[in-house]
């Protein structure tokens, strides 16, 4: 059945179809799932590996969808380069594994996302990496935490769940003087400020959150100077931490509406934070846009008139928190954030679940805290659900 003109059906099945070249280009970025690229010959493979020619070879080392997303985030962060990783944690891992050697020390801010703490304090410790905690709102506390082997200082722009705002410029000054890299996890505050312009060495995001924006992908990004990103990319390749084409494509699509989604959700968060703070059924509301928040003055100065999409309320104890969460009719309990729809989470049983009572006490975490992540609904509809839940839970 096989002939030079007509191959056997099994061959036709296996071979890709070749289309004639198109004189037009797609308007929307194409999704390119290929795990590997066709190389013209040995001259070209040498040229590609030696960077005399640009092009993709193997998707774990780079592919067009990740390159487009990385370029977009780098542009938003004012960075030379960016890197896409398989999750926010993969992005952090690429940095820690790339810049720490055995015996090095990390300064970690209090109130970090729980798994970041786990990565350093339970996993990296096995490789001889030590750490000390500091308060990211007080650069002098970082100075006290430094040791001669501190290589990385890690903080979040807005801490989780109490939304303390890091003094990024102050931390950068202390870290730079000590020869350490300042890494800022900017997941809670994309577009609200630019950590690199304030002196951070690298900025990371869980793109699973606001960048993706629809709770349908898991991805992370890092942005910063080209030479730093190159090292993180080498680690991502060696440890297999790279992000895949489909989710990179989805996240790039998410960036198209990021500015609009963020603006709308920040506005709603401020409106409802003010309303919740004034409600006698809510013992306390934490939001950097409220005058009662300890970092309100810095937030006014740093965040361009927006204060983030997250508000955390303290309902006193676990029973009341549970009564509120289960009485919500439309707003789901979902332990993530930054979806187009508003969600609630409970830090004590989710993001900060495995921490000791001492760790909770140091960060101000209590079983009564409920974290609200605002989406794009009309604030009046959200208030109606909160109001009913607060009333129904007989506060
Ligand atoms: C502030 C922050 N950083 C990092 C991460 C980790 O991101 P991912 O879940 O994409 O690994 C999260 C996840 O919730 C987060 O909230």
């Amino acid at each position: 059945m096989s002939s030079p003109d007509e191959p056997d059906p099994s061959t036709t099945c296996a071979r890709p179809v070749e289309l004639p070249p198109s004189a037009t280009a797609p308007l929307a970025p194409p999704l390119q799932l290929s795990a590997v690229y066709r190389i013209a010959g040995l001259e070209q493979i040498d040229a590609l590996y030696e960077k005399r020619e640009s092009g993709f070879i193997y998707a774990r080392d780079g592919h067009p969808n990740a390159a487009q997303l990385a370029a977009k985030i780098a542009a938003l962060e004012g960075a030379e380069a960016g890197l896409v990783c398989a999750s926010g944690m993969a992005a952090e891992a690429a940095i820690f594994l790339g810049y720490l050697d055995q015996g090095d020390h990390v300064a970690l801010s209090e109130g970090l996302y729980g798994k970041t703490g786990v990565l350093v304090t339970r996993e990296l410790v096995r490789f001889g990496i030590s750490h000390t905690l500091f308060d990211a709102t007080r650069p002098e506390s970082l100075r006290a935490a430094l040791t001669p082997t501190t290589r990385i200082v890690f903080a979040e722009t807005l801490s989780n769940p109490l939304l303390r705002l890091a003094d990024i410029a102050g931390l950068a000054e202390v870290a730079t003087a000590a020869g350490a890299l300042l890494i800022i996890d900017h997941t809670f505050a994309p577009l609200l400020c630019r950590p690199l312009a304030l002196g951070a060495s690298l900025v990371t995001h869980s793109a699973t959150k606001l960048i993706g924006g629809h709770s349908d992908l898991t991805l992370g990004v890092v942005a910063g100077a080209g030479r730093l990103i190159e090292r993180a990319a080498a680690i991502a390749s060696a440890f297999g931490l790279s992000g895949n084409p489909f989710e990179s494509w989805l996240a790039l699509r998410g960036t198209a509406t990021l500015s609009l989604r963020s603006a709308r959700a920040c506005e709603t968060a401020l409106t409802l934070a003010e309303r919740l703070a004034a409600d006698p059924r809510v013992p306390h509301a934490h939001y950097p846009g409220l005058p009662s928040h300890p970092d309100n003055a810095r937030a006014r100065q740093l965040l361009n008139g927006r204060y983030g999409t997250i508000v955390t309320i303290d309902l006193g104890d676990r029973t009341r928190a549970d009564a509120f969460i289960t009485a919500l009719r439309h707003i789901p309990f979902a332990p993530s954030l930054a979806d187009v729809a508003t969600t609630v989470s409970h830090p004590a049983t989710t993001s900060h679940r495995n921490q000791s009572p001492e760790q909770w006490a140091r960060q101000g975490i209590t079983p009564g805290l409920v974290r609200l992540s605002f989406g794009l609904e009309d604030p009046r509809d959200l208030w109606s659900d909160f109001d009913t839940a607060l009333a129904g839970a007989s506060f």
Side-chain angles (χ1 to χ4, degrees):
M1 193 134 161
S2 178
S3 78
D5 295 331
E6 191 178 350
D8 185 82
S10 65
T11 306
T12 305
C13 282
R15 280 186 184 153
V17 174
E18 289 195 17
L19 291 176
S22 169
T24 54
L27 178 63
L31 171 59
Q32 290 175 267
L33 293 170
S34 188
V36 67
Y37 289 76
R38 290 178 75 147
I39 316 291
L42 303 191
E43 285 305 316
Q44 189 177 52
I45 194 88
D46 284 347
L48 287 166
Y49 275 120
E50 290 161 17
K51 307 250 185 278
R52 287 181 282 109
E53 254 184 62
S54 74
F56 300 100
I57 301 171
Y58 190 61
R60 199 187 64 242
D61 296 324
H63 53 78
N65 295 110
Q68 288 171 75
L69 177 61
K72 176 78 79 149
I73 301 302
L76 291 174
E77 293 294 357
E80 244 172 48
L83 173 71
V84 175
C85 293
S87 65
M89 289 313 302
E92 293 179 23
I95 295 168
F96 287 127
L97 294 168
Y99 294 103
L100 293 173
D101 288 323
Q102 207 170 15
D104 282 347
H105 173 263
V106 181
L108 276 185
S109 79
E110 295 270 15
L112 286 177
Y113 172 59
K115 208 42 91 62
T116 303
V118 168
L119 173 60
V120 176
T121 65
R122 294 204 207 144
E123 302 301 337
L124 293 183
V125 70
R126 298 187 291 112
F127 303 97
I129 308 290
S130 57
H131 72 278
T132 305
L133 298 176
F134 70 95
D135 175 352
T137 66
R138 294 189 308 113
E140 63 277 17
S141 90
L142 169 60
R143 199 170 281 119
L146 294 173
T147 76
T149 57
T150 307
R151 297 280 169 266
I152 285 184
V153 174
F154 195 101
E156 288 169 4
T157 310
L158 286 170
S159 74
N160 180 15
L162 296 185
L163 309 162
R164 298 300 308 266
L165 177 59
D167 179 351
I168 298 175
L171 297 179
E173 207 180 305
V174 176
T176 307
L181 297 174
L182 173 64
I183 315 297
I184 295 292
D185 180 340
H186 205 34
T187 298
F188 277 32
L191 308 186
L192 300 191
C193 69
R194 278 181 162 181
L196 298 175
L198 295 167
S201 317
L202 287 169
V203 59
T204 75
H205 289 270
S206 166
T208 314
K209 307 299 187 306
L210 259 169
I211 290 173
H214 296 71
S215 297
D216 54 8
L217 64 91
T218 302
L219 224 51
V221 286
V222 191
R227 69 187 164 81
L228 295 178
I229 294 297
E230 227 172 85
R231 175 71 184 140
I235 294 293
S237 172
F239 283 81
L241 303 173
S242 323
N244 71 54
F246 181 52
E247 288 175 303
S248 301
W249 181 87
L250 276 178
L252 183 73
R253 186 180 167 121
T255 63
T257 54
L258 173 61
S259 169
L260 286 174
R261 285 185 287 106
S262 167
R264 163 82 177 189
C266 285
E267 210 175 291
T268 302
L270 178 59
T271 304
L272 291 187
E274 284 168 347
R275 203 143 180 194
L276 288 160
D279 194 303
R281 297 169 297 182
V282 179
H284 196 75
H286 301 262
Y287 187 62
L290 295 175
S292 59
H293 191 279
D295 304 320
N296 179 247
R298 184 178 300 125
R300 284 174 187 279
Q301 191 197 343
L302 202 64
L303 301 184
N304 294 315
R306 300 220 167 97
Y307 303 98
T309 60
I310 310 290
V311 177
T312 299
I313 54 175
D314 191 345
L315 294 175
D317 56 37
R318 180 184 162 116
T319 309
R320 289 178 142 215
D322 192 37
F324 173 73
I325 287 169
T326 51
L328 288 166
R329 288 181 54 227
H330 301 288
I331 303 172
F333 172 28
S336 186
L337 57 108
D339 191 80
V340 286
T342 298
T343 57
V344 302
S345 188
H346 183 248
T349 56
T350 62
S351 53
H352 296 69
R353 184 177 184 87
N354 292 318
Q355 297 189 355
S356 64
E358 295 74 40
Q359 283 173 302
W360 278 5
R362 267 207 319 273
Q363 298 167 75
I365 292 175
T366 64
L369 290 181
V370 177
R371 195 185 71 191
L372 317 172
S373 165
F374 286 98
L376 309 183
E377 305 92 331
D378 189 301
R380 290 168 299 188
D381 293 324
L382 294 171
W383 178 255
S384 158
D385 208 2
F386 289 149
D387 190 36
T388 313
L390 288 168
S394 61
F395 286 92

